[in-house]
Amino acid sequence: VGPAAMPIPIFAPYTWQETETTVTVTSRIHGATPGNTDFFASPHYVKANSSQAGGALYLLELDLYGQVDAARSSAAVQTGEVKLRLHKAEPGLWGQLTLQFVDKAERMRRRKRSIEAAERQAAADADAKKKQTWDHSRHTLNQQMELERAYRGVLDGRAAEEKAKEEADLEAWRSATEAARLEELRDRYGAGAASAASAAAASASGPGAAAARPASGPRPSAKPLPPVRARTRVELAFTPKMTAAPLRTKGRDADYDPEPVPLEAPGLGPSRARALKSGDLYDISQRDPAWLKDRGDRFFALRDFGAADNAYSAVLNQFADKIPAQAVDTYLACLSNRAACRLEADELLAAAADATHALTLAENGKSISNVPMSDEDLAVRARRRKLRLLLRRGTALCHAGLLDQAVQDYELALEDYMPQVSVAADSAPSAIGAQADKAAVRADLEAMRARLAAVLRIKEDADATAAEALAAEAEAARRGDAEARDAAALYWHRLGT
């Protein structure tokens, strides 16, 4: 298929008015809106076009008689009307809107020069705006740096003032302490001892104090150390965190569980699954519900349905007493997947019981999703879940011989939960797949209906035969015919009653 042909433009009619300084051009274009209409202005050439939904293209282009100020010119678009307001470069009346009596080549050269001038002006305006933005950002940065320097100066000044005040208070306290000590020495030993103590203190605080200090001598006794702290052992327990997905990090391969080996599937046996509830296992892969569900999914993909059943049962056993709202989705998914495992293992009634439990909980329970979802997405997810559960329960009941209940589940799934799609209207792969799934479900339903009808016919024939045998037995009893009674007894024995 070749490229689509360009639509032929439709030149829109217009009217115009002028003043000494402006020119107003009005054009009626059916369906024109601000969203589908473009406007371009240059000194001697203006253009407006509107692309309609049906493919039509309306065009209004004018080679102006005089020169306009493209930067000040504008277009106002209302529904069905385009109004161009052009500002003249120089005041004066034109007398005519467009250039007349000029050959096409000259008009095109004039138009090209006008467009190039508009493009140069637009580039210059963009550069000026960029420079203005840059200057403004630098000015803002300089102002911010000046404010920070001023604030830093204020902080440094306050710190210096506080330091000087504290040093003055410390010196005053030291002087007061020394004066009190000298006064105490004067009162106790006389004025001579106080003078000697004062001179010793002055020499100790002077520049020669280090040289005058003796190199050896008795040292003051050290302060005794506190006793050693008692040692104890503290056990830390962490609250299990239930998430909707495995707690993995990005990057290294070591952060991910290796692919399970089919021969190692019994490692998650029933005994270890029962131990999960008591919290004896410290391995997160044996404790976290999301990890266990992920492991069950991988076992199911490997067709190791027994190990997958054990993994899903380990998750369900953790919520035997109470199901938090954050875990309802995980609980329902494990119930549905365990029903699929038991269906593959020919545990038909157990599979049907899991599907029934999940349908009841999905109808009455309330879940909280860890991932933000719209109401429409939540409704689609709930519809798919109920469809999957109905089909699995119907399949289990069909294989168990309960054809009437299986037909009811398939009819409910087909009528209420299968997506209504049409391949003719939507040829997307998803629509084709949904139509194929619906056709397969309908074919299975028809097969079950035919099988149920055949069973009902056999039952009706058996009921008729049983009625005839009962009538023959009654007749034989009435006549007292021993041979007929023996024949009836033999008939019932053959029927298995």
Side-chain angles (χ1 to χ4, degrees):
V1 179
M6 293 294 293
I8 300 176
I10 303 174
F11 291 94
Y14 63 89
T15 60
W16 71 285
Q17 297 176 351
E18 71 168 336
T19 63
E20 289 286 340
T21 58
T22 61
V23 175
T24 303
V25 181
T26 305
S27 176
R28 299 289 299 177
I29 299 177
H30 178 70
T33 61
N36 61 13
T37 304
D38 297 325
F39 171 68
F40 173 76
S42 64
H44 294 93
Y45 171 73
V46 295
K47 177 178 70 172
N49 57 65
S50 177
S51 300
Q52 304 296 326
L57 175 63
Y58 288 87
L59 179 63
L60 173 64
E61 60 178 0
L62 304 172
D63 290 291
L64 301 176
Y65 176 77
Q67 183 177 354
V68 297
D69 187 354
R72 298 173 55 197
S73 301
S74 61
V77 183
Q78 298 178 352
T79 303
E81 183 180 79
V82 179
K83 182 176 290 187
L84 308 182
R85 184 175 180 83
L86 310 176
H87 289 265
K88 296 180 179 179
E90 297 179 358
L93 297 177
W94 292 353
Q96 59 185 27
L97 179 62
T98 60
L99 193 64
Q100 303 291 336
F101 308 111
V102 177
D103 60 348
K104 182 178 180 180
E106 179 60 28
R107 185 169 68 253
M108 297 304 293
R109 286 193 295 269
R110 185 173 181 264
R111 180 184 299 181
K112 181 179 179 182
R113 290 194 299 269
S114 179
I115 293 174
E116 291 175 352
E119 291 176 349
R120 288 193 299 271
Q121 184 62 36
D125 294 341
D127 293 340
K129 185 176 180 180
K130 184 185 298 183
K131 185 177 182 302
Q132 181 181 4
T133 304
W134 172 255
D135 293 342
H136 179 70
S137 64
R138 286 180 60 84
H139 178 68
T140 304
L141 179 61
N142 291 334
Q143 285 186 333
Q144 184 66 26
M145 293 177 64
E146 290 293 336
L147 289 176
E148 291 181 358
R149 281 194 289 267
Y151 184 65
R152 176 61 63 182
V154 172
L155 292 180
D156 293 342
R158 291 180 179 178
E161 292 177 359
E162 292 180 1
K163 181 180 179 181
K165 180 177 179 301
E166 293 298 329
E167 289 178 350
D169 293 342
L170 180 61
E171 186 63 29
W173 172 82
R174 186 179 298 165
S175 300
T177 303
E178 184 66 20
R181 189 176 70 87
L182 294 177
E183 184 67 24
E184 182 181 358
L185 291 175
R186 185 180 297 108
D187 294 340
R188 181 175 300 178
Y189 302 107
S195 300
S198 177
S203 62
S205 61
R213 189 177 295 120
S216 63
R219 295 186 178 182
S221 60
K223 185 178 180 180
L225 297 176
V228 179
R229 296 179 182 177
R231 186 178 65 177
T232 183
R233 184 182 182 88
V234 179
E235 295 290 342
L236 299 179
F238 297 94
T239 304
K241 181 177 181 182
M242 295 172 294
T243 59
L247 301 177
R248 296 173 174 172
T249 57
K250 298 181 180 179
R252 300 170 296 172
D253 295 335
D255 295 332
Y256 295 85
D257 276 354
E259 290 295 331
V261 181
L263 297 179
E264 298 178 356
L268 188 63
S271 60
R272 300 192 73 188
R274 286 193 299 270
L276 290 174
K277 190 175 179 180
S278 62
D280 294 337
L281 299 179
Y282 291 91
D283 186 2
I284 190 173
S285 63
Q286 304 289 334
R287 185 178 70 249
D288 189 87
W291 280 93
L292 289 170
K293 178 184 175 299
D294 184 64
R295 175 168 293 186
D297 294 343
R298 291 185 296 191
F299 281 137
F300 188 88
L302 293 172
R303 303 190 62 80
D304 195 342
F305 304 116
D309 190 335
N310 291 335
Y312 296 136
S313 299
V315 178
L316 299 176
N317 290 337
Q318 296 187 47
F319 307 108
D321 301 329
K322 182 179 179 181
I323 307 175
Q326 294 87 349
V328 170
D329 288 339
T330 303
Y331 191 86
L332 289 175
C334 289
L335 269 179
S336 178
N337 295 346
R338 191 174 71 172
C341 293
R342 293 181 173 180
L343 183 61
E344 294 287 346
D346 288 335
E347 300 177 11
L348 304 176
L349 297 182
D354 282 346
T356 302
H357 186 190
L359 285 170
T360 304
L361 181 60
E363 190 69 25
N364 301 326
K366 180 180 180 182
S367 64
I368 299 177
S369 176
N370 293 335
V371 181
M373 300 179 68
S374 62
D375 294 340
E376 181 179 358
D377 293 338
L378 289 174
V380 170
R381 186 179 66 173
R383 177 177 59 80
R384 291 176 178 173
R385 177 187 296 154
K386 290 183 179 179
L387 170 65
R388 191 181 305 112
L389 290 170
L390 286 171
L391 293 179
R392 288 175 179 173
R393 188 175 69 175
T395 304
L397 294 174
C398 176
H399 289 291
L402 304 176
L403 294 175
D404 51 347
Q405 300 181 26
V407 168
Q408 292 178 3
D409 284 345
Y410 266 69
E411 288 178 347
L412 181 61
L414 187 63
E415 298 298 331
D416 294 348
Y417 296 105
M418 290 294 287
Q420 304 295 330
V421 296
S422 176
V423 178
D426 185 1
S427 60
S430 59
I432 297 175
Q435 190 72 10
D437 293 341
K438 191 171 185 180
V441 172
R442 186 179 291 108
D444 293 341
L445 177 60
E446 294 299 329
M448 282 191 289
R449 286 174 176 171
R451 187 176 177 184
L452 179 61
V455 171
L456 291 177
R457 286 195 299 270
I458 295 173
K459 182 178 180 298
E460 291 175 358
D461 294 341
D463 291 341
T465 305
E468 293 176 359
L470 288 174
E473 184 180 3
E475 181 66 19
R478 187 178 62 83
R479 292 180 179 180
D481 190 351
E483 183 178 355
R485 286 197 300 271
D486 294 340
L490 179 60
Y491 184 79
W492 281 107
H493 178 70
R494 292 292 180 86
L495 285 178
T497 60

